[in-house]
């Protein structure tokens, strides 16, 4: 029998300009990427240079951030918090109504389905901490040269924040990237992808009805059940070409029955 180690999670307090924002359950690696990604996803920063300094104290379980510009703490922290679903629970200040006001994503980049399936396989084979523990989520970006970069965490949304933070810190152009995730694509996951500007997001599992509605409105291509030779394309942005099965099965999604979903297997 193969024995795997247990995945780690720790309570870590995020403090911005002296104000404690919340305590998050995080896996303690790539915390600087997470900090940049989370603050960007939540609208606290618009660019990497909006952060003046970050002090991470793993022993104390704290991340202290100083922003280069002042912000209205009372206005920000008085906003209603929305707690995210799933493991490593997080918090977002964006409602679905807020997300609908994000800029629509524009990109003329297209991908073959076989290419995305291949990259999803590479992602799985190179997810070090999942392979060690069997209990970690991951997020991966595929750049225009086909290179992959992976970040992992106990929480699926934390992993996405980490990969967004990596992209932000390295000045990567979102309209030339694909975001892959191991977790369910829910509305807060879709909002993170939309805020950064990813034109394509793929998952090994499902997307929620709310995420699909937002994706269609914001012009983001969402692909679920991306595994083996199977995939479900929930949207119709025209960024994914089916070169795996020329005759997809059209199935009715849970979204209301009037828009068929293409299922390839």
């Amino acid at each position: 029998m193969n024995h795997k180690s247990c995945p780690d999670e720790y309570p870590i307090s995020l403090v911005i300009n002296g104000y404690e924002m919340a305590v998050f359950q995080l896996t303690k690696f790539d915390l600087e990427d997470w900090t940049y990604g989370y603050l960007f996803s939540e609208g606290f920063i618009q660019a990497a240079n909006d952060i003046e300094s970050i002090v991470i104290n793993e022993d104390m379980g704290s991340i202290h951030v100083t922003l280069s510009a002042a912000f209205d703490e009372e206005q920000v922290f008085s906003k209603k918090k929305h707690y995210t679903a799933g493991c490593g629970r997080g918090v977002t200040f964006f409602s679905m109504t807020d997300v609908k006001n994000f800029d629509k994503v524009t990109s003329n980049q297209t991908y073959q389905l076989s290419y995305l399936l291949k990259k999803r396989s590479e992602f799985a084979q190179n997810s070090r901490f999942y392979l060690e523990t069997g209990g970690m989520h991951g997020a991966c970006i595929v750049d225009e040269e086909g290179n992959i970069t992976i970040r992992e965490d106990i929480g699926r949304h934390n992993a996405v924040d980490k990969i967004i933070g990596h992209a932000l810190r390295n000045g990567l152009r979102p309209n030339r990237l694909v975001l892959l995730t191991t977790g369910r694509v829910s509305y807060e996951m879709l909002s993170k992808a939309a805020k950064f500007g990813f034109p394509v997001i793929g998952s090994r599992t499902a997307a929620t009805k709310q995420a699909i509605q937002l994706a269609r409105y914001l012009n983001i291509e969402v692909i679920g059940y991306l595994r083996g030779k199977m995939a479900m394309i929930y949207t119709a942005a025209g960024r994914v070409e089916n070169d795996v099965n020329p005759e997809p099965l059209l199935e009715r999604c849970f979204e209301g029955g009037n828009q068929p979903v293409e299922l390839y297997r």
Side-chain angles (χ1 to χ4, degrees):
M1 179 182 293
N2 292 326
H3 294 281
K4 292 182 179 291
S5 61
C6 294
D8 289 327
E9 59 176 325
Y10 300 88
I12 297 180
S13 171
L14 177 61
V15 181
I16 305 175
N17 287 8
Y19 289 80
E20 184 179 57
M21 182 175 171
V23 176
F24 299 82
Q25 292 297 122
L26 289 161
T27 305
K28 291 198 295 188
F29 40 77
D30 300 311
L31 290 178
E32 191 162 356
D33 281 343
W34 175 82
T35 304
Y36 276 87
Y38 181 78
L39 293 181
F40 178 84
S41 295
E42 292 301 316
F44 287 93
I45 64 172
Q46 301 303 317
N49 60 11
D50 289 341
I51 293 179
E52 185 175 296
S53 68
I54 295 178
V55 177
I56 298 173
N57 189 325
E58 292 188 9
D59 293 334
M60 296 296 293
S62 65
I63 302 173
H64 287 259
V65 179
T66 301
L67 300 182
S68 56
F71 70 103
D72 189 334
E73 293 90 350
E74 289 188 7
Q75 181 181 1
V76 170
F77 294 118
S78 65
K79 291 179 67 176
K80 184 177 180 180
K81 296 179 182 179
H82 300 265
Y83 291 94
T84 59
C87 53
R89 176 170 290 188
V91 61
T92 178
F93 290 95
F94 287 126
S95 67
M96 285 189 64
T97 302
D98 295 325
V99 178
K100 285 182 178 179
N101 292 322
F102 287 1
D103 291 337
K104 293 188 177 182
V105 174
T106 58
S107 174
N108 58 6
Q109 191 81 351
T110 60
Y111 303 90
Q112 291 186 324
L113 184 57
S114 61
Y115 174 80
L116 296 178
L117 288 165
K118 177 183 177 183
K119 291 302 171 183
R120 163 65 196 135
S121 178
E122 288 181 24
F123 173 21
Q125 293 168 15
N126 289 279
S127 295
R128 171 190 165 191
F129 296 106
Y130 174 80
L131 294 174
E132 289 179 0
T133 67
M136 297 287 283
H137 274 295
C140 168
I141 51 173
V142 184
D143 67 20
E144 52 194 314
E145 283 81 35
N147 302 309
I148 65 170
T149 303
I150 298 169
R151 292 291 182 268
E152 296 176 84
D153 194 274
I154 190 70
R156 56 192 172 84
H157 43 272
N158 295 336
V160 171
D161 282 329
K162 286 179 178 181
I163 205 66
I164 288 174
H166 164 80
L168 191 70
R169 294 174 67 195
N170 287 277
L172 303 184
R173 297 166 52 194
N175 65 344
R176 311 293 290 182
L177 303 175
V178 173
L179 172 64
L180 301 178
T181 175
T182 58
R184 179 180 63 255
V185 180
S186 52
Y187 103 82
E188 83 274 4
M189 293 281 277
L190 197 284
S191 74
K192 292 178 186 296
K195 184 73 169 58
F196 189 67
F198 289 110
V200 177
I201 177 171
S203 171
R204 70 175 300 276
T205 184
T208 66
K209 173 181 176 179
Q210 289 78 10
I212 296 167
Q213 290 173 335
L214 285 170
R216 287 174 173 164
Y217 182 77
L218 295 172
N219 195 34
I220 298 173
E221 198 84 276
V222 177
I223 309 142
Y225 298 105
L226 196 62
R227 57 180 82 164
K229 291 187 177 181
M230 177 180 176
M232 179 176 281
I233 300 179
Y234 292 102
T235 47
R239 297 194 181 102
V240 177
E241 175 190 349
N242 173 29
D243 63 333
V244 176
N245 183 344
E247 296 182 0
L249 299 171
L250 293 183
E251 292 198 352
R252 295 292 174 182
C253 184
F254 42 76
E255 194 186 351
N258 60 349
Q259 295 194 52
V261 168
E262 293 185 348
L263 174 64
Y264 305 107
R265 60 185 173 194

